[in-house]
Amino acid sequence: MNVESIFFDQPSSYFIEAIEPSRVLVLDDKQFRKLAAENEAFERFDKSLLHEHIHTLQHRITALQSSSAEERYRLFTKQYPEVMLRVPQMMIASYLGITPESLSRIRKELAQRNCRPRNTS
Amino acid sequence: MATKKIAFVTHPQETHWVGDGFRVHNFIPAIPGLSMQEMDPFILLDYNAKRMVAPSETPGGVGVHPHRGFETVTIAYEGEVEHHDSAKHGGVIRRGDVQWMTAASGILHKEYHAKEWAKKGGLFQMVQLWTNLPARDKMSAPKYQSIPNDTMGKHILPDHAGLVEVIAGEYQGTAGPARTHSPIALMNAKLNEGGRAEFSFPAHYNTALLVIQGHAVVNGTDLPTDNLLKFANEGETFTIEATAPETVVLVMSGEPLREPIVAYGPFVMNTKQEIMQAMDDYNRGAFGHLED
């Protein structure tokens, strides 16, 4: 949900890019308001979406202010365990507010701590 | 011994890119009738049909990615593939060679057109087959089997029919070099026009053929280039007859493991918890590290 556009009628500062085959349902603000006005269940859904959105933003701000880059990476992978497999690392680095080089360094350091050498044949 | 019943023949479907180097038709598991359960122990078959690759200083390929719970079998029919992994293995799979990688408990790897080959470009044709591991071996140590063409079993057929090249399993007393974790036969029937080869696999094994080159007739059914034939689980024997010169047919047959399959991208395990564990292990670096 793009808050800038849907509630403040401003052009969005984000764009959407599909990085894997996707089906996206698009609702414009008129359809959105109409649905919320006419359907109680949708209104409840809309409200909980908004709360979820604020919750996520709050977490992200707190993490950006008070957690190290490695902690932010760990929180992120706990919250979205499958994303590292599906999203290019440069995009994840950008989301975490670090450079791709920093993300690579963090992952390398984690590997040095957590990868026990195995006997390979 | 009864004649093996044919379930169906399928054309390749639309291609998709794996990274920027491999343009593949997926057969297993995307095509109806070729799901992981229906082709058990074969859980993926990607086929890069023959195509020309333009010369390039930056070889096309796939960047660093993990695997856990199964094996990747790469067969290079044309062109060369270079690979590197987090256990510091690396090498080039050349024309006619096979690499059998047991990812098992986990490995990070990347694979590209071989650097020197890519500079000149040329014909490229490859199969990547994933074979599932039994639950007891899924968390065993990763390993490689490099299988150069001259180490494969070569069974010369009578009457200048051609030969059967055995990668895994056995063909009329000629064994292939690959060590497998469950009974699997993988071989190339390389036939001259009019040449015939007879095969026999137990009815309950899942068995399929892919025509790499030429044209074959199997128990009376036409099988053109790039087409796949799946046998039903009835009967044992079949005959491949080449109706074009230099016909090559990949023969795969395996005893089903009949264990639960839970797959997510590059992880194939038995339970959802094991998939979650694989993701967590990957995120926290337990698969090691490999530079892109």
Side-chain angles (χ1 to χ4, degrees), chain B residues 10 20 30 32-33 44 68 71-73 87 95 98 137 151 166-167 179 191 215 242 249 262 292:
Chain B
T10 176
D20 63 0
L44 178 137
R68 173 180 282 181
E71 305 179 292
T72 63
V73 182
R95 185 171 183 267
V98 170
D137 295 326
T151 67
V166 188
I167 302 162
R179 281 164 291 134
L191 303 174
H215 191 112
V249 181
V262 184
D292 230 333

Side-chain angles (χ1 to χ4, degrees), chain A residues 73 78 81-82 84 86 114 119, chain B residues 105-106 141 264 280 283-285:
Chain A
Y73 168 78
K78 279 271 178 279
E82 78 289 2
M84 283 304 295
R86 295 168 58 175
N114 294 330
N119 295 322
Chain B
S105 62
Y264 188 95
D280 189 48
N283 291 333
R284 67 188 185 84

Side-chain angles (χ1 to χ4, degrees), chain A residues 73 77-78 80-86 89 104 107-108 110-112 114-116 118-121, chain B residues 66 87 89 105-106 141-144 264 266-267 276 279-280 282-289 291:
Chain A
Y73 168 78
T77 54
K78 279 271 178 279
Y80 308 107
E82 78 289 2
V83 169
M84 283 304 295
L85 293 169
R86 295 168 58 175
Q89 291 202 14
S104 177
R107 283 178 57 80
K108 191 174 179 176
L110 280 171
Q112 280 160 357
N114 294 330
C115 179
R116 284 191 209 96
R118 297 187 203 91
N119 295 322
T120 56
S121 52
Chain B
H89 293 114
S105 62
K143 63 174 191 241
Y144 272 101
Y264 188 95
F267 305 137
M276 297 306 290
M279 284 180 191
D280 189 48
Y282 173 61
N283 291 333
R284 67 188 185 84
F287 281 64
H289 184 79
E291 294 295 338

Side-chain angles (χ1 to χ4, degrees), chain B residues 141-183:
Chain B
K143 63 174 191 241
Y144 272 101
Q145 298 177 69
S146 169
I147 306 174
N149 192 274
D150 60 11
T151 67
M152 292 175 191
K154 303 278 168 70
H155 184 92
I156 310 293
L157 298 162
D159 306 324
H160 304 289
L163 64 92
V164 175
E165 201 172 74
V166 188
I167 302 162
E170 194 183 302
Y171 183 79
Q172 296 183 5
T174 303
R179 281 164 291 134
T180 64
H181 293 250
S182 64

Side-chain angles (χ1 to χ4, degrees), chain A residues 60 64 88-100 103:
Chain A
R60 223 180 136 195
L64 284 168
Q89 291 202 14
M90 56 177 288
M91 292 184 186
I92 292 167
S94 148
Y95 183 88
L96 294 173
I98 57 179
T99 62
L103 179 58

